[in-house]
């Protein structure tokens, strides 16, 4: 038999499996996208650019990544799917060539007080196992070192059934590491009772001094007519039982003034109505009350470590787990590296890799006990990245939302290297970004626009970076923009003295902050900028502080409700139609009864994923049909809420609908670059930068003399940065002092005075390395910031 001969295929005929090298999107219509069709190369770095609101996130997150996640979720059993978030199919005709998407976004990490950098990564879990094996004295299993596990001791019979066997245990013990006093929070909160009431007065004399508890209001009537206390007796004369009923009584249903109401003690009532809400969303007088009435102090029992006495006493080489978590991560990595213990070698290797990833990504200055809620959006995003750096996965799609947010130009270089490393492992990397330094490393660029909101949603350009530069789009035109430093900076009108600032990593910093000018505080990530500004210039009388903390709002909250814009609009509608303003609130009398003013019906499908569908009665308009018959300037209330800020500005600016109070709020929203937002867009759909600018617009009406802003350029396109600088100039020219924590070189160059902290991060930072004008900083080139600013302005 002749020997079979094997003929190899000709190399010119590629394998069919290698032909899938594109992600194809056809007819994407999510949010403001206008039938977008593009092809994205796989295993390449693609950057999506465009002005804020042009549709970048709608295309990348809400279409490509959302569909990838939905398709993966559908591979699980329906039982498992019941525990997963609902994902509707995006509005798109065809999506081909998708791979598994891993989303690394800027959503702040949960602000649960027990969530720390260590618990958000695997570092804490590994440390707990390490201490349970090597700690002396040995106090128990890993849970004994966990500050979110309480110790439990139960005595009495416990019956454990396993098949036919029944065992009875007399006692049950579990050793946890939670400090019993603060319950693992590290702080204890005290309500200052003197801020709640004046005990020399009776209720009828107006003893309660809480906002909203006026003498004739329902809140006051609840206590006066409850029968628990004598309304004519001064509070200082109450018996022990009366004081208990007045301050701490359990919620009780009862009839008061002929109406069924719930009576409860003053303290739990205040905690529910005021202390559980987002301070930023409160009216100024209520915010001031909360600042006065609540004091958070370090737990005296565990000294803020959150851990029980036993967990603090168990040590490895004179270091307890509390000490390890308080160390700067770069130091902790060195300490772990020095531990040579063969019995836990694999654990030490894994812990070492995790800690080294922190250092590599530029977060070596953090400590594992840092509360996760205090991380900036950029820091939170980089903490999430740590899980993926050492991953063996390839051929997946990584989706990043502005990975350079909060990064100094020096650190952007390192972030770029990480993105390229992920790509070189054979992954598709999609990045939504505004910074030219990161756009420059792209293999492929997709520019969306040309404008924002309804004026955006189209692809203006796709191709190489060189093509973008000459493409004539807004991004292309501004790509090589460079601000020049001011020849003659403004003169300060006074100084704010900061002496001995030592919050976090600051080393007794003394600095004079000039007032009446634009001051930029800069330095590498972790050098102590926020500690200096927010720690030494507390938001209080005359200081308006706008940080990047999230706005806590329900699906019902929107720019109109948050900024107080809805009030003048409702009054204008009510006046024009001779009816009550409450009819024009979707949370009050005018709400559609079927969906209670939410505009959508949520159907819970038990073990299957729930579904949100537009309300059929109001067609998503949120109001009763009768309310929509009332018009102002030819529009009903739902049509007004569907307008963008700029459209509404014209509508309320002149003619029959002219409403100066609404016009003032709208012009402030437009000033901060939010002209494209619709008035009724849910706050939950806004990006971090948009939320911050929404806060800024709200606070611009405050009577503050000093404005403190934390990276206001986050999420801003190069073209919008100019508008922001013009706004900051207007604030300064109107007599305000503006202090900005910022990395953007255009803002640094525009400043009148720069305060540079460093020279490094964590314990290598915290010192004042330069103060003076931008021109002096460029000339001296004595700091990292100086070198990068000099390169930027071409100095």
């Amino acid at each position: 038999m002749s020997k079979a001969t094997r003929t190899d295929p000709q190399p010119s005929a590629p394998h069919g499996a290698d032909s899938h090298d594109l992600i194809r999107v056809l007819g994407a219509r999510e949010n403001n996208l206008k039938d977008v069709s593009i092809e994205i190369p796989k295993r390449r770095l693609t950057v999506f650019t465009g002005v804020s609101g042009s549709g970048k996130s709608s295309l990348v997150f809400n279409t490509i990544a959302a569909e990838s996640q939905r398709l993966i979720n559908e591979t699980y059993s329906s039982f498992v799917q019941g525990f997963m978030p609902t994902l509707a199919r995006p509005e798109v005709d065809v999506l081909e060539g998708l791979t598994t998407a891993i989303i690394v976004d800027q959503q702040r990490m949960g602000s649960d007080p027990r969530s720390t950098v260590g618990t958000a990564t695997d570092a804490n879990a590994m440390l707990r196992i390490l201490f349970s094996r090597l700690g002396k004295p040995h106090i128990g299993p890993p849970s004994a070192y966990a500050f979110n596990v309480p110790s439990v001791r139960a005595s009495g019979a416990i019956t454990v059934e396993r098949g036919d066997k029944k065992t009875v245990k007399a006692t049950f013990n579990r050793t946890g590491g939670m400090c019993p006093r603060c319950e693992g929070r590290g702080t204890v909160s005290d309500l200052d009772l003197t801020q709640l009431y004046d005990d020399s007065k009776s209720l009828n004399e107006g003893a309660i001094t809480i906002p909203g508890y006026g003498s004739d209001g329902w809140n006051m009537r609840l206590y006066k007519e409850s029968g628990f206390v004598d309304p004519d007796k001064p509070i200082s004369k109450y018996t022990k039982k009366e004081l208990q009923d007045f301050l701490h009584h359990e919620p009780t249903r009862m009839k008061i003034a002929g109406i069924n109401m719930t009576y409860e003690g003053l303290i739990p009532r205040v905690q529910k109505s005021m202390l559980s809400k987002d301070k930023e969303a409160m009216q100024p007088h209520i915010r001031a009350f909360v600042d006065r009435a609540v004091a958070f102090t370090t737990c005296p029992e565990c000294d803020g470590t959150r851990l029980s006495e036993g967990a603090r006493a168990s040590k490895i080489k004179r270091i307890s787990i509390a000490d390890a978590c308080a160390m700067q991560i770069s130091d902790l990595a060195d300490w772990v590296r020095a531990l040579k213990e063969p019995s836990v070698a694999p654990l030490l290797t894994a812990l070492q890799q995790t800690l080294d990833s922190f250092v590599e990504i530029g977060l070596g200055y953090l400590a594992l006990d840092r509360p996760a809620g205090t991380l900036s959006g950029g820091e939170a995003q980089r903490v999430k990245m740590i899980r993926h750096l050492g991953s063996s996965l390839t051929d997946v799609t990584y989706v990043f939302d502005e990975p350079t947010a909060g990064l100094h130009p020096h650190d952007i270089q390192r972030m770029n290297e990480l993105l390229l490393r992920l790509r070189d492992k054979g992954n598709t990397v999609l990045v939504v970004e505004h910074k030219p330094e990161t756009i420059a490393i792209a293999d492929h660029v997709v520019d969306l626009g040309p404008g924002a909101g309804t004026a955006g949603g189209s692809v203006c350009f796709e191709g190489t970076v060189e093509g973008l530069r000459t493409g004539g789009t807004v991004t292309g035109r501004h790509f090589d923009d460079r601000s020049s430093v001011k020849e003659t900076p403004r003169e300060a009108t006074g100084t704010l003295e900061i002496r001995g600032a030592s919050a976090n990593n600051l080393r007794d910093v003394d600095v004079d902050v000039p007032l009446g000018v634009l001051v930029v505080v800069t330095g590498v990530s972790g050098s102590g900028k926020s500690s200096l500004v927010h720690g030494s210039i507390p938001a209080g009388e005359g200081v308006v502080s706008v940080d990047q903390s999230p706005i806590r709002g329900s699906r019902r909250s929107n720019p109109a409700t948050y900024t107080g814009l809805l009030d003048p609009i409702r009054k204008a509608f009510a006046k024009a139609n001779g009816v009550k303003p409450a009819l024009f609130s979707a949370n009050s009398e005018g709400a559609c009864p079927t969906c209670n003013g939410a505009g959508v019906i949520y159907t819970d499908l038990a073990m299957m994923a729930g579904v949100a569908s537009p309300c059929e009665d109001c067609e998503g308009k949120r109001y009763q049909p009768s309310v929509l018959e009332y018009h102002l300037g030819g529009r009903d209330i739902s049509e007004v809420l569907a307008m963008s800020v700029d459209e509404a500005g014209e509508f309320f600016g002149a003619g029959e609908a002219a409403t100066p109070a609404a016009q003032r709020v709208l012009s402030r929203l437009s000033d901060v670059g939010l002209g494209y937002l619709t008035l009724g867009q849910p706050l939950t759909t806004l990006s971090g930068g948009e939320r911050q600018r929404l806060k800024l617009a709200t606070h611009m009406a405050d009577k503050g003399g000093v404005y403190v802003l934390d990276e206001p350029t986050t999420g801003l396109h190069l073209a919008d940065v100019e508008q922001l600088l013009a706004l900051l100039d207007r604030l300064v020219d109107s007599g305000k002092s503006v202090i900005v924590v910022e990395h953007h070189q255009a803002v640094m160059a525009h400043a009148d005075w720069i305060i540079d902290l460093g020279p490094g991060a964590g314990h290598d930072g915290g010192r004042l390395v330069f103060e003076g004008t931008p021109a002096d900083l460029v000339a001296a080139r004595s700091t990292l910031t100086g070198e990068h600013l000099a390169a930027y302005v071409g100095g």
Side-chain angles (χ1 to χ4, degrees):
M1 197 174 95
S2 65
K3 199 175 178 185
T5 55
R6 180 176 157 208
T7 54
D8 287 333
Q10 294 302 310
S12 58
H15 195 290
D18 294 332
S19 60
H20 302 282
D21 53 2
L22 290 172
I23 295 175
R24 292 180 59 234
V25 182
L26 290 179
R29 295 177 300 282
E30 198 64 30
N31 296 334
N32 65 336
L33 296 177
K34 295 175 180 156
D35 258 343
V36 167
S37 297
I38 58 164
E39 292 186 338
I40 300 163
K42 283 190 189 174
R43 294 176 284 283
R44 295 290 181 272
L45 173 62
T46 301
V47 175
F48 294 79
T49 63
V51 296
S52 307
S54 60
K56 303 181 298 296
S57 296
S58 301
L59 177 59
V60 180
F61 290 95
N62 304 358
T63 304
I64 299 171
E67 180 64 354
S68 170
Q69 293 218 309
R70 188 182 74 85
L71 292 172
I72 288 167
N73 287 3
E74 284 189 350
T75 64
Y76 298 114
S77 69
S78 53
F79 174 74
V80 174
Q81 285 183 47
F83 298 102
M84 293 178 162
T86 316
L87 295 168
R89 188 182 186 283
E91 284 269 326
V92 60
D93 295 334
V94 179
L95 268 176
E96 285 179 352
L98 290 178
T99 66
T100 309
I102 294 175
I103 298 174
V104 189
D105 61 15
Q106 279 194 40
Q107 285 299 322
R108 288 296 188 91
M109 293 189 156
S111 53
D112 182 290
R114 292 197 198 94
S115 177
T116 65
V117 169
T119 60
T121 55
D122 294 332
N124 242 49
M126 289 191 271
L127 269 180
R128 293 202 299 269
I129 299 170
L130 185 69
F131 273 85
S132 72
R133 300 286 185 277
L134 305 180
K136 299 275 189 304
H138 175 74
I139 58 161
S143 64
Y145 297 90
F147 54 74
N148 42 22
V149 178
S151 291
V152 178
R153 287 178 187 81
S155 56
I158 299 172
T159 307
V160 181
E161 295 186 24
R162 285 201 182 96
D164 299 336
K165 295 177 187 170
K166 290 189 180 180
T167 54
V168 175
K169 297 185 179 181
T171 58
F172 169 74
N173 284 337
R174 181 183 67 197
T175 308
M178 179 187 283
C179 165
R181 170 78 193 273
C182 65
E183 298 184 342
R185 289 188 172 87
T187 57
V188 284
S189 62
D190 292 323
L191 262 176
D192 183 354
L193 296 182
T194 60
Q195 298 294 340
L196 304 188
Y197 57 82
D198 179 349
D199 67 356
S200 64
K201 294 180 178 175
S202 68
L203 292 180
N204 278 334
E205 291 168 336
I208 301 179
T209 54
I210 302 165
Y213 283 72
S215 55
D216 51 353
W218 272 111
N219 284 328
M220 203 61 156
R221 286 185 70 176
L222 185 68
Y223 290 98
K224 283 184 189 174
E225 301 178 24
S226 65
F228 286 112
V229 292
D230 178 353
D232 292 313
K233 185 170 165 184
I235 294 176
S236 57
K237 299 281 198 305
Y238 281 8
T239 63
K240 208 170 183 180
K241 168 131 186 15
E242 282 178 317
L243 197 59
Q244 176 69 20
D245 286 341
F246 174 54
L247 291 180
H248 302 286
H249 200 284
E250 296 286 313
T252 309
R253 293 291 288 167
M254 57 194 303
K255 249 196 172 61
I256 293 177
I259 297 171
N260 284 327
M261 293 179 78
T262 300
Y263 176 87
E264 66 181 323
L266 190 63
I267 288 176
R269 193 176 168 86
V270 168
Q271 281 173 328
K272 282 178 196 164
S273 64
M274 295 181 183
L275 306 190
S276 63
K277 291 202 171 76
D278 180 20
K279 255 176 38 173
E280 280 295 332
M282 294 175 177
Q283 294 163 289
H285 67 291
I286 296 179
R287 198 161 58 222
F289 161 74
V290 171
D291 286 335
R292 284 198 313 269
V294 186
F296 288 97
T297 51
T298 304
C299 171
E301 203 156 300
C302 68
D303 203 19
T305 61
R306 310 154 178 264
L307 289 158
S308 63
E309 194 177 344
R312 299 197 307 275
S314 177
K315 298 187 176 182
I316 303 173
K317 291 191 174 176
R318 297 197 298 280
I319 296 285
S320 70
I321 191 166
D323 300 332
C325 289
M327 274 187 199
Q328 186 166 307
I329 289 174
S330 54
D331 295 344
L332 180 60
D334 294 338
W335 181 75
V336 171
R337 199 173 284 115
L339 293 176
K340 298 282 186 275
E341 183 58 52
S343 62
V344 288
L347 175 68
L348 287 172
T349 307
L351 180 57
Q352 188 67 59
Q353 283 175 343
T354 301
L355 297 175
D356 286 343
S357 296
F358 272 102
V359 178
E360 191 178 345
I361 209 165
L363 292 178
Y365 61 86
L366 294 179
L368 293 181
D369 63 2
R370 168 91 175 257
T374 64
L375 297 178
S376 68
E379 285 172 332
Q381 187 178 27
R382 301 205 299 287
V383 166
K384 292 175 197 169
M385 273 179 82
I386 283 168
R387 296 191 186 147
H388 308 302
L389 284 180
S391 168
S392 311
L393 288 173
T394 62
D395 245 338
V396 295
T397 301
Y398 284 99
V399 187
F400 291 98
D401 184 12
E402 279 192 68
T404 60
L407 285 183
H408 187 271
H410 170 68
D411 299 311
I412 289 177
Q413 205 62 46
R414 291 162 79 173
M415 176 59 72
N416 284 352
E417 286 163 15
L418 289 168
L419 294 174
L420 292 172
R421 234 176 64 197
L422 283 174
R423 176 203 67 185
D424 293 344
K425 276 168 66 174
N427 298 307
T428 306
V429 182
L430 309 182
V431 183
V432 173
E433 189 51 88
H434 294 294
K435 295 271 174 71
E437 299 100 311
T438 298
I439 300 172
I441 64 163
D443 301 308
H444 189 73
V445 179
V446 177
D447 191 22
L448 289 154
T454 50
S458 304
V459 174
C460 302
F461 170 85
E462 53 177 322
T464 62
V465 178
E466 283 312 310
L468 176 72
R469 275 194 159 100
T470 55
T473 65
V474 176
T475 307
R477 286 201 304 275
H478 288 276
F479 192 80
D480 292 310
D481 276 7
R482 294 291 180 265
S483 296
S484 52
V485 294
K486 286 182 181 166
E487 294 297 318
T488 51
R490 285 174 279 230
E491 290 293 321
T493 56
T495 54
L496 177 73
E497 290 187 2
I498 295 175
R499 295 289 177 265
S502 55
N504 299 329
N505 66 333
L506 294 175
R507 309 277 184 93
D508 274 341
V509 173
D510 296 338
V511 62
D512 292 334
V513 181
L515 296 176
V517 295
L518 174 59
V519 178
V520 171
V521 180
T522 184
V524 296
S525 308
S527 58
K529 304 178 298 297
S530 296
S531 304
L532 178 71
V533 172
H534 295 301
S536 308
I537 312 171
E541 285 304 305
V543 176
V544 176
S545 181
V546 185
D547 61 12
Q548 290 203 5
S549 59
I551 296 171
R552 282 209 291 274
S554 69
R555 284 183 289 249
R556 293 169 176 272
S557 308
N558 55 44
T561 58
Y562 183 77
T563 56
L565 171 66
L566 200 58
D567 290 341
I569 291 178
R570 285 187 351 223
K571 284 174 184 160
F573 265 95
K575 190 176 176 188
N577 294 283
V579 290
K580 287 194 298 188
L583 277 177
F584 302 99
S585 166
N587 298 332
S588 184
E589 291 181 30
C592 161
T594 312
C595 62
N596 290 328
V600 288
I601 305 280
Y602 293 95
T603 313
D604 182 11
L605 298 179
M607 57 184 258
M608 297 288 284
V611 174
S613 48
C615 171
E616 289 179 6
D617 286 8
C618 66
E619 296 173 346
K621 291 182 177 172
R622 303 172 57 180
Y623 290 92
Q624 295 175 18
S626 57
V627 174
L628 300 180
E629 288 170 14
Y630 298 117
H631 288 79
L632 174 69
R635 302 285 186 99
D636 65 42
I637 183 76
S638 74
E639 289 172 326
V640 167
L641 288 176
M643 289 180 180
S644 71
V645 167
D646 288 341
E647 282 176 73
E650 290 176 25
F651 179 72
F652 289 109
E656 185 197 335
T659 311
Q663 179 63 23
R664 281 195 294 275
V665 180
L666 289 162
S667 67
R668 289 201 297 271
L669 284 168
S670 198
D671 277 348
V672 296
L674 293 178
Y676 60 90
L677 283 189
T678 55
L679 305 186
Q681 183 175 337
L683 288 189
T684 48
T685 63
L686 299 188
S687 69
E690 286 170 336
R691 288 176 199 163
Q692 192 192 13
R693 298 203 296 285
L694 186 61
K695 282 188 205 174
L696 176 58
T698 310
H699 283 307
M700 275 169 61
D702 293 0
K703 297 287 181 278
V706 179
Y707 281 73
V708 178
L709 310 181
D710 197 347
E711 290 184 55
T713 60
T714 302
L716 275 188
H717 186 266
L718 298 161
D720 297 326
V721 172
E722 294 175 13
Q723 192 178 356
L724 178 77
L725 291 174
L727 168 70
L728 297 181
D729 278 342
R730 282 205 302 280
L731 280 172
V732 172
D733 294 339
S734 67
K736 314 279 190 202
S737 302
V738 180
I739 301 166
V740 184
V741 174
E742 189 54 85
H743 294 294
H744 202 295
Q745 287 119 313
V747 182
M748 292 182 206
H750 198 76
D752 298 303
W753 193 258
I754 282 189
I755 294 171
D756 194 13
L757 295 175
H763 57 48
D764 297 327
R767 296 184 179 85
L768 182 68
V769 289
F770 177 85
E771 51 180 328
T773 64
D776 292 343
L777 179 62
V778 167
R781 294 197 192 197
S782 55
T783 68
L784 279 172
T785 307
E787 286 172 25
H788 284 280
L789 187 58
Y792 174 80
V793 299

